[in-house]
């Protein structure tokens, strides 16, 4: 697996989290609290892993493309009221 596979991993993790949330909703409607709790914990964990993968991928892109957050802030600042300074 390489860094270029992370968008597909992100999509899979996001979909899995949505499935856990939907299953948790079904379980709580059926008054099955333990299954609901397990689904919510699983959704939270997959969301945290998704966030880690997402930040890793976009941090890598920012480093490779030389467009870190400071460059983005400077561009947006120069186009707005900051250009008067």
């Amino acid at each position: 697996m390489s860094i270029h596979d992370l968008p597909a991993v992100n999509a899979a993790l996001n979909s899995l989290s949505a499935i856990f949330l939907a299953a948790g909703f079904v379980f709580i409607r059926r008054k099955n609290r333990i299954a609901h709790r397990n689904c919510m914990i699983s959704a939270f964990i997959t969301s945290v892993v998704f966030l880690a993968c997402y930040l890793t991928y976009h941090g890598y892109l920012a480093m490779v493309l030389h467009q870190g957050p400071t460059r983005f802030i400077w561009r947006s600042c120069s186009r707005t009221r900051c250009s008067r300074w």
Side-chain angles (χ1 to χ4, degrees):
M1 180 191 289
S2 71
I3 194 90
H4 302 292
D5 297 328
L6 283 179
V9 171
N10 288 342
L13 287 170
N14 217 6
S15 299
L16 189 59
S17 181
I19 290 169
F20 282 134
L21 288 172
F25 178 75
V26 169
F27 286 133
I28 200 64
R29 297 284 290 174
R30 293 181 182 172
K31 307 287 191 228
N32 190 347
R33 292 182 182 200
I34 294 184
H36 168 75
R37 183 195 68 201
N38 293 340
C39 283
M40 293 299 108
I41 291 171
S42 299
F44 177 74
I45 290 170
T46 55
S47 294
V48 168
V49 174
F50 162 77
L51 180 62
C53 291
Y54 180 85
L55 292 176
T56 300
Y57 180 71
H58 286 282
Y60 172 78
L61 281 184
M63 183 179 69
V64 169
L65 299 176
H66 304 289
Q67 293 183 348
T70 54
R71 186 171 180 184
F72 174 74
I73 291 170
W74 179 251
R75 266 194 206 160
S76 63
C77 189
S78 64
R79 292 180 181 164
T80 61
R81 57 186 156 92
C82 296
S83 61
R84 290 181 271 169
W85 298 338

